[in-house]
Amino acid sequence: MNAELAADRQVLADLVRRFAGDEIAPNVQAWDDAGEFPRGLYARAAELGLLGLGYPEELGGTPASYSLKLPAWVALARHGKSGGVLASLFSHNIGLPPVVLHASDAVRSEVVPPVLRGEKIAALAITEPGGGSDVAALRTTARLDGDHYVVNGEKTFITSGMRADWITVAVRTGEGRGAGGISMLLVPGDAPGLTRTRLSKMGWLCSDTATLHFDNVRVPARYLLGHEGEGFRMIMGNFNGERIGLAAGALGFSQACLDEALAWARERKAFGTALVEHQAVRHKLVDMQMRIASTEAWIEAVSAEGDALEAAGRHNAPEWVAQICLLKNHATQTMQFCADQAVQILGGMGFMRGTVSERIYREVKVMMIGGGAEEIMKELAARQMGWL
């Protein structure tokens, strides 16, 4: 890593640490209790340039490599201590990339800058009630009628689904089943016929999650992204960035669990001495650090490789996609282990709402499922490595 990149990473990480520590972490429990966080947080993150990180300058963003964004992602998780806040605050990072890459210049200019300024919220809608991980089997339809598409169907588990102003929706424009008939369509959040139902969850309590209902929703044809039938490829390419982000978040949340567990072990006394003086507790902390260190080294390597492949024009190289899948599983398993060990070290306090480890313990499963469940990641990695 060159000196300039290292310096930029440090400046960005310090900025994010202050923002997350001052403006997110102290409020998380109240926001969880309320089931949402203030919309003004988007504007504040935008003022600091965080919403636009990695987006083209002409659209109001700041171009950034994976390696530059990585410490920001990790710091947001470690010091913000809430997957729910991060999931909704940065839902545009899965909703906007297909718009940036495949929309017309006019649509890009209409949609992207207000989102990066924190004025609008963007979301991605792929999963369906009966489909889950089987993207190629989605059933929501979009039929061309003059200069509009008419959309019918349902999407579920949609992050920012209740508040999104723009929703990038996977639809079936072709006949029959399979990947070939899937397209991506940008749907305005105020489109007549679009209704939303809030979902209650085990974790991510302050992130609104919804089922979306499309009943003859008319969408201008100019909001088609790319061409009909290209949606499946867009979806698969979009997953790479999402999975690296999930791995980075999992690393940060693992560190947050270790931070809390170590502080507790130093302060809490049992049988006349601090918990950290007991070998059994020390070994739990060491095991956490061991997994954190391996995850950190792996994600740094995958990020650097991604930057090199991007520079070479090989965005979706199979060997890199396989590494992302394996990394995502490893990082979330590290998070699961660290959350479990931290709750055990905290004992009864680890079971109480308001502790970081209790929150992360509840949130870990959505990290292991979202963006591609463990089983799907293993299968995709095997295929990308040419084992099948």
Side-chain angles (χ1 to χ4, degrees), residues 36 50 67 83 93 182 217 219 229 232 239 271 300 371 375:
E36 63 181 14
L50 301 181
S67 296
N93 282 339
I182 295 174
V217 176
V219 180
F232 189 80
F239 274 134
F271 304 102
E300 288 282 4
E375 297 80 5

Side-chain angles (χ1 to χ4, degrees), residues 268-302:
R268 181 72 167 175
K269 286 184 169 52
F271 304 102
T273 186
L275 287 180
V276 75
E277 298 295 328
H278 295 276
Q279 185 185 70
V281 174
R282 281 200 308 278
H283 286 189
K284 289 180 185 295
L285 295 166
V286 169
D287 285 342
M288 293 166 72
Q289 178 57 35
M290 178 177 66
R291 286 164 172 79
I292 287 170
S294 66
T295 302
E296 186 172 26
W298 198 353
I299 197 171
E300 288 282 4
V302 168

Side-chain angles (χ1 to χ4, degrees), residues 215-333:
D215 184 8
N216 291 319
V217 176
R218 295 185 65 84
V219 180
R222 66 192 182 91
Y223 289 141
L224 178 70
L225 303 181
H227 298 94
E228 287 191 5
E230 296 180 343
F232 189 80
R233 178 177 55 83
M234 295 181 198
I235 294 167
M236 293 301 105
N238 202 47
F239 274 134
N240 293 331
E242 180 181 4
R243 288 164 182 162
I244 292 178
L246 285 166
L251 171 59
F253 291 129
S254 300
Q255 293 171 332
C257 288
L258 178 57
D259 292 341
E260 184 176 58
L262 179 57
W264 179 265
R266 284 171 167 165
E267 296 171 7
R268 181 72 167 175
K269 286 184 169 52
F271 304 102
T273 186
L275 287 180
V276 75
E277 298 295 328
H278 295 276
Q279 185 185 70
V281 174
R282 281 200 308 278
H283 286 189
K284 289 180 185 295
L285 295 166
V286 169
D287 285 342
M288 293 166 72
Q289 178 57 35
M290 178 177 66
R291 286 164 172 79
I292 287 170
S294 66
T295 302
E296 186 172 26
W298 198 353
I299 197 171
E300 288 282 4
V302 168
S303 296
E305 184 180 359
D307 291 336
L309 290 169
E310 189 107 352
R314 298 180 61 227
H315 310 281
N316 296 311
E319 63 273 18
W320 185 60
V321 174
Q323 287 296 304
I324 293 173
C325 294
L326 298 173
L327 168 65
K328 196 261 187 182
N329 279 2
H330 181 76
T332 53
Q333 287 170 10

Side-chain angles (χ1 to χ4, degrees), residues 28-53:
V28 167
Q29 189 56 50
W31 293 345
D32 271 359
D33 293 342
E36 63 181 14
F37 59 85
R39 188 155 178 151
L41 191 66
Y42 291 90
R44 179 61 182 140
E47 288 173 9
L48 297 175
L50 301 181
L51 298 190
L53 195 63

